[in-house]
Amino acid sequence: MRPQERIEELKRARNAVILAHNYQVPEIQDIADYVGDSLGLALQASQTEADVIVFCGVDFMAESAKILNPEKTVLHPEPQAKCPMAAMCSVEGIRMLKKDFPKADVVAYVNTSAECKAEADVCCTSSNAVKVIDSLESDLVIFIPDENLASCAQRDTDKDIIMWPGYCPTHDAITKEKIEAIKKEHPQAVLLAHPECSPEVIDIADYVCSTEGMINFAKASDKSEFIVGTETDMIHRLSKEVPDKTFYPVKGAVCPTMKLITLDNIISALETLTPEVIVDPEIAERAREPLRRMLEIGRA
Ligand code: 13P
Ligand code: SF4
């Protein structure tokens, strides 16, 4: 039996749903029930009627699914699939900032641990950061942990943002020089950039958006060539859903931990109902409210 057939069989037996991020390898995107960005995945996780959620993505995404569904079994087929940017933030550091700026509200990018989310007033993703920031009472905002997303949001809000100095190593590999080299070969290509890219890449971008935003933009655009300023497997979904257009990847923009999820470890997770995502109930309780607030605010 092909692994894909075995997964289908197990999914039915377990009443499971498979959620996958846009950076998963093509064969995983192809067997998922839903493929999307962080906000879309959190929304799907909050609405599913399945008993078991198999989360194909990195740690903070699977954790968010569990926080939103404390009664369900959430499986993360490879717990070593961790987001290095989420690991750059600490509870102690956030508490120090809160002490230094007691009037500030705290916005946690979803790329944070449950413990860090529990310190926040609200969460956001790359698709609603400005909308979330503008929804807050205070004119001063502590934003964790992505400095690039924070400085991108600072361009579009009048509030003052105190930025945590975290960054994504994958988007850091997307340099202005690499983009200019692609532009030289394809001068008519439109640059789509994820807000985790550096300010100098954002400066030359034609459109800045989340991974889901790239799909919507490419579908609606009258242009036919795009440079994809995010992780390279994003191109799988773009080519599938927008087949008449051409997408150019940026070499080296690979998120290695996203690739740790495989068909084999999904089969094993469904067979054994492990590794299960466990979040301390007291932390989960405190992290749920900022996540729920984010879902209520929705997409920008
Ligand atoms: P999206 O929410 O745009 O999919 O981004 C998630 C992420 O981790 C980007 O590196
Ligand atoms: Fe984390 Fe960057 Fe990978 Fe996204 S691409 S999961 S931010 S390391």
Side-chain angles (χ1 to χ4, degrees):
M1 188 187 283
R2 291 168 67 233
Q4 287 84 349
E5 287 162 6
R6 179 72 181 134
I7 288 172
E8 270 309 311
E9 190 178 79
L10 284 162
K11 238 174 56 178
R12 276 194 298 275
R14 296 297 196 188
N15 187 25
V17 68
I18 300 185
L19 305 182
H21 187 261
N22 287 320
Y23 300 162
Q24 288 292 292
V25 295
E27 59 187 7
I28 297 212
Q29 293 193 30
D30 292 345
I31 53 102
D33 296 295
Y34 176 83
V35 185
D37 68 355
S38 307
L39 186 63
L41 289 162
L43 278 164
Q44 289 290 322
S46 70
Q47 290 161 1
T48 183
E49 287 183 359
D51 297 319
V52 174
I53 298 172
V54 181
F55 208 104
C56 305
V58 288
D59 53 352
F60 71 82
M61 298 174 176
E63 240 178 29
S64 296
K66 180 66 186 177
I67 294 165
L68 292 166
N69 285 291
E71 75 296 347
K72 290 192 197 292
T73 302
V74 179
L75 304 171
H76 189 206
E78 175 45 74
Q80 287 311 311
K82 295 176 195 281
C83 169
M85 174 162 67
M88 289 175 193
C89 199
S90 72
V91 169
E92 298 69 38
I94 301 169
R95 288 187 180 162
M96 271 163 65
L97 281 174
K98 289 209 271 196
K99 221 167 150 199
D100 288 347
F101 302 99
K103 290 206 165 78
D105 286 322
V106 180
V107 178
Y109 188 26
V110 283
N111 299 41
T112 40
S113 65
E115 288 78 3
C116 289
K117 286 185 180 77
E119 297 294 318
D121 294 292
V122 61
C123 291
C124 77
T125 75
S126 58
S127 70
N128 64 4
V130 175
K131 197 175 175 192
V132 166
I133 289 168
D134 285 343
S135 76
L136 296 167
E137 292 225 330
S138 175
D139 286 333
L140 189 62
V141 169
I142 296 167
F143 192 99
I144 56 162
D146 186 10
E147 192 169 13
N148 287 341
L149 175 58
S151 59
C152 219
Q154 186 66 89
R155 296 174 191 225
D156 295 319
T157 179
D158 292 333
K159 300 195 188 243
D160 286 323
I161 306 179
I162 298 150
M163 304 177 195
W164 185 281
Y167 69 97
C168 163
T170 303
H171 287 82
D172 204 43
I174 300 172
T175 60
K176 191 179 172 190
E177 292 69 33
K178 286 184 189 173
I179 303 280
E180 281 169 349
I182 303 172
K183 278 212 168 217
K184 225 174 182 174
E185 274 187 54
H186 309 284
Q188 62 286 45
V190 170
L191 172 59
L192 306 177
H194 195 277
E196 287 177 14
C197 291
S198 69
E200 54 173 19
V201 169
I202 300 299
D203 283 342
I204 57 166
D206 295 294
Y207 190 59
V208 179
C209 56
S210 79
T211 56
E212 200 64 29
M214 291 184 185
I215 306 262
N216 298 334
F217 187 88
K219 276 183 186 164
S221 173
D222 57 3
K223 301 287 190 303
S224 59
E225 290 176 71
F226 303 87
I227 302 168
V228 180
T230 194
E231 217 270 349
T232 51
D233 273 328
M234 182 70 217
I235 295 202
H236 180 64
R237 219 186 126 202
L238 281 164
S239 309
K240 221 166 136 176
E241 293 189 28
V242 199
D244 52 330
K245 301 190 179 175
T246 308
F247 300 98
Y248 305 113
V250 181
K251 275 204 187 87
V254 174
C255 179
T257 57
M258 281 276 181
K259 316 303 169 194
L260 296 177
I261 312 291
T262 63
L263 292 177
D264 282 348
N265 58 33
I266 292 172
I267 291 174
S268 162
L270 280 165
E271 280 174 347
T272 62
L273 292 183
T274 63
E276 200 182 335
V277 178
I278 309 285
V279 183
D280 178 294
E282 188 262 327
I283 300 285
E285 176 82 30
R286 287 168 48 217
R288 195 168 300 122
E289 195 45 38
L291 271 172
R292 285 221 178 112
R293 255 181 105 174
M294 172 189 82
L295 294 181
E296 267 164 36
I297 291 167
R299 254 178 227 287

